Amino acid sequence: MACFSIWEIRKYMNDLYNPFPSLYHCHHQNFTEDLAFWQSLARWQGDPILELGCGTGRILIPLAQAGHEVYGIDNSHAMLAFLKQRIPIDLQSNIHLIEANMLDFQIDAEFRMVLLPCNTYSTFDAQARARMLARIFQQLKPGGVFAVSMPSPNLLRALQTNEDADVEAIFSHPDTGNPVQVSSTWEKQENLVKINWHYDHLLPDGKIERVTASIPHYLATLEDYVTEMISAGFTIQSTYRNFETGSYKPDASYLIIIAQK
Ligand SMILES: C[S@@+](CC[C@H](N)C(=O)[O-])C[C@H]1O[C@@H](n2cnc3c(N)ncnc32)[C@H](O)[C@@H]1O
């Protein structure tokens, strides 16, 4: 799983010195596997487009670069501040950023597409998903779609507690140039798997500065997701297993759902 959500920041509470956005960005900027998929949906659906949990703009900026009018919601002030300083001046009028909770946002616009990429949907329990779906439905134009990508339910269910943190990626720290090693550990609980993402900044004196983000992923089935969306008034348009639009299969790595209002 290449992507993860960052909102439970344990170590750095002061946004001004919060290192997460730049660490997240360095780690994820080369994750482009899904970009063409979102771009092509955006071309098909038209504007305006809303991204929930837009983070550092990995997807929002390329959508704006392709000429789309985009709105991005995130509840992390630090992520939005980092994103703001990345937006090229000529795109500023096409990108609208809103600091809000995606469970109860309200925007004075109706959207042709609402997207929730990068494994964030499964970090909400059923009650929260129902709240979010009700809001999304309200904000979509008739015929508009909600498009969401998440880890495959079977893949999540199969994860067992694993306390061995193998190094999964290494990049240079954006401020110091020292290596940062990324690893994860998992804790299986009754209805969720908690994934602890560790960023270890290796300092020249041999010390390690660790920043950890702990993310719960709730266990649900494809049928649960589909039933919830239908209850919220959506029609399921497609379910994919990858960003090349292969049909969903239980042994997939991803579950991507396109639901239409
Ligand atoms: C995994 S990151 C994805 C960022 C970006 N969409 C991407 O694809 O790289 C998830 C983002 O969702 C945001 N987020 C998590 N829970 C949220 C909530 N309840 N309301 C708004 N944003 C939230 C986090 O702050 C984080 O920036």
Side-chain angles (χ1 to χ4, degrees), residues 197-253:
W197 288 95
H198 306 297
Y199 285 111
D200 289 336
H201 181 191
L202 310 187
L203 302 172
D205 62 4
K207 290 192 178 133
I208 298 177
E209 190 179 73
R210 172 169 278 199
V211 175
T212 297
S214 295
I215 314 299
H217 284 271
Y218 290 88
L219 302 177
T221 62
L222 170 65
E223 291 69 32
D224 293 332
Y225 292 125
V226 164
T227 306
E228 290 165 9
M229 288 178 187
I230 290 172
S231 304
F234 289 95
T235 304
I236 303 300
Q237 214 179 53
S238 323
T239 52
Y240 299 126
R241 69 172 180 276
N242 57 29
F243 297 103
E244 286 79 46
T245 65
S247 298
Y248 180 73
K249 288 183 182 160
D251 63 350
S253 303

Side-chain angles (χ1 to χ4, degrees), residues 3-7 24 28 34 51-56 58-59 73-76 79 100-103 117-118 120 124:
C3 268
F4 59 96
S5 305
I6 296 169
W7 66 94
Y24 176 87
H28 286 81
D34 57 348
E51 183 183 354
L52 302 176
C54 58
T56 60
R58 188 181 65 83
I59 296 168
I73 284 185
D74 207 289
N75 65 351
S76 160
M79 291 296 251
N101 184 348
M102 66 176 90
L103 304 184
C118 212
T120 303
F124 297 101

Side-chain angles (χ1 to χ4, degrees), residues 18 39 53 81 92 149-150 160 171 185 207 209 228 248:
N18 186 335
Q39 297 271 24
Q92 284 175 0
S149 70
M150 64 189 113
Q160 298 299 329
F171 58 84
T185 53
K207 290 192 178 133
E209 190 179 73
E228 290 165 9
Y248 180 73

Side-chain angles (χ1 to χ4, degrees), residues 36-89:
F37 175 83
W38 303 117
Q39 297 271 24
S40 110
L41 257 185
R43 266 196 308 278
W44 181 258
Q45 284 298 132
D47 295 348
I49 292 164
L50 168 64
E51 183 183 354
L52 302 176
C54 58
T56 60
R58 188 181 65 83
I59 296 168
L60 205 68
I61 290 179
L63 286 177
Q65 274 161 341
H68 294 289
E69 191 191 1
V70 293
Y71 288 66
I73 284 185
D74 207 289
N75 65 351
S76 160
H77 185 75
M79 291 296 251
L80 288 178
F82 187 87
L83 163 54
K84 270 183 199 149
Q85 48 88 29
R86 292 189 59 234
I87 299 176
I89 219 148

